[in-house]
Amino acid sequence: MKTLFKLSILLIICTLCFDASSQKQNKKISLEDIYSNRLFTNLSISGLRSMNNGEHFTTLKDKSKISKFSYKSGE
């Protein structure tokens, strides 16, 4: 679960850096951007279950097959 949290934070940071570098102007952050436009809402990952060892995760394929993957290699 810690690894999933770290991956989520990394994804948010990368998204924010990409957005910041693609904008040529300095724009102030407004409350509307945060709450109405949800500009800084984190992305979610569904269908992924972290295993207790912190090194692997499982997904459900075809609603019947559980597949195990490594965080490190993706295999």
Side-chain angles (χ1 to χ4, degrees):
M1 197 57 145
K2 290 179 184 179
T3 306
L4 181 60
F5 178 74
K6 289 177 185 176
L7 288 173
S8 297
I9 295 298
L10 180 62
L11 180 62
I12 292 167
I13 291 170
C14 289
T15 302
L16 292 175
C17 290
F18 177 77
D19 286 344
S21 66
S22 67
Q23 296 176 354
K24 298 294 180 187
Q25 60 183 346
N26 291 333
K27 181 181 176 187
K28 294 190 183 242
I29 298 171
S30 68
L31 291 176
E32 184 177 345
D33 286 337
I34 297 170
Y35 295 108
S36 297
N37 299 336
R38 303 186 65 74
L39 195 61
F40 300 100
T41 301
N42 61 336
L43 302 175
S44 63
I45 300 172
S46 62
L48 181 137
R49 300 286 184 250
S50 184
M51 297 184 74
N52 289 337
N53 66 9
E55 296 179 15
H56 298 91
F57 64 93
T58 60
T59 61
L60 190 61
K61 289 188 177 183
D62 302 324
K63 298 183 182 180
S64 63
K65 182 181 176 188
I66 298 174
S67 298
K68 179 181 171 182
F69 297 95
S70 167
Y71 282 116
K72 196 178 263 186
S73 68
E75 296 179 4

